[in-house]
Amino acid sequence: MTAGPLVVLVGPMGSGKSTVGALLAERLGVPYRDTDADIVTAQDRPISDIFVDEGEPYFRELERQAVAAAVSEHTGVLALGGGAVLDEGTRELLAGLPVAYLSMDVEEAVRRVGLGAARPLLAVNPRRQWRELMEARRPLYTEVARVVVATDDRTPEEVAQAVLDALELKDV
């Protein structure tokens, strides 16, 4: 077995990375880690505040560092923030790892994320913004993913099972 996470989850905000990641970790009997939570803990403030106070480039550098640390240290289930794949170095770190891209369509995203959520990149015209983000990110998610698991109309438990099946992992 290679060093590093047992499973890495990537995908857009609201795709269920945190929920599915926690379920996978429980089913596999391993720890769960979320790089967004790592950043919030280290900065002692929400990501939306980091965006407002310091700007997106500052946040992306924090994210790059958090992902690099997590990939090198964590051996359980790891969930990355939606924009983590924007960094070329991060994509290189993910090469060869068991990465699952949790995909969903825009209507599902709107239903899950909502229009009033504290999502700094979706502040104005969330549907259009989400589509534009996905046009830019979908090829990057696909590039790093070993498997793609659609989350539309599925429960978190069904998505977790689909990830286990796709990656050929057995729960404990």
Side-chain angles (χ1 to χ4, degrees):
M1 183 171 190
T2 60
L6 187 59
V7 178
V8 180
L9 299 175
V10 299
M13 61 190 85
S15 62
K17 297 180 301 285
S18 297
T19 302
V20 171
L23 283 171
L24 284 170
E26 182 181 325
R27 290 183 62 178
L28 293 166
V30 297
Y32 168 71
R33 184 167 176 176
D34 180 320
T35 57
D36 278 353
D38 290 351
I39 294 167
V40 168
T41 299
Q43 293 290 304
D44 194 30
R45 58 186 169 155
I47 288 171
S48 57
D49 287 359
I50 298 169
F51 264 81
V52 170
D53 297 343
E54 312 294 340
E56 185 176 359
Y58 179 82
F59 172 76
R60 295 296 172 206
E61 177 57 25
L62 293 175
E63 183 174 55
R64 185 192 65 71
Q65 293 171 13
V67 171
V71 166
S72 70
E73 300 165 0
H74 189 68
T75 57
V77 176
L78 178 63
L80 305 188
V85 297
L86 295 171
D87 182 75
E88 184 178 351
T90 294
R91 293 193 308 275
E92 290 171 6
L93 278 177
L94 297 175
L97 294 178
V99 178
Y101 161 30
L102 302 185
S103 69
M104 65 182 180
D105 69 23
V106 68
E107 295 309 318
E108 186 78 1
V110 169
R111 187 178 70 74
R112 291 184 189 176
V113 176
L115 301 180
R119 306 285 186 165
L121 294 179
L122 299 181
V124 179
N125 194 343
R127 289 173 195 254
R128 189 189 79 220
Q129 291 293 104
W130 194 87
R131 283 189 182 101
E132 289 174 3
L133 281 174
M134 285 307 299
E135 285 175 21
R137 294 177 182 183
R138 187 175 291 111
L140 303 177
Y141 292 139
T142 303
E143 173 188 328
V144 300
R146 186 176 297 172
V147 299
V148 178
V149 175
T151 65
D152 301 311
D153 301 318
R154 285 176 145 171
T155 67
E157 292 77 11
E158 290 169 334
V159 174
Q161 187 60 54
V163 170
L164 290 171
D165 292 345
L167 291 173
E168 299 179 352
L169 296 170
K170 302 288 182 221
D171 52 355
V172 293

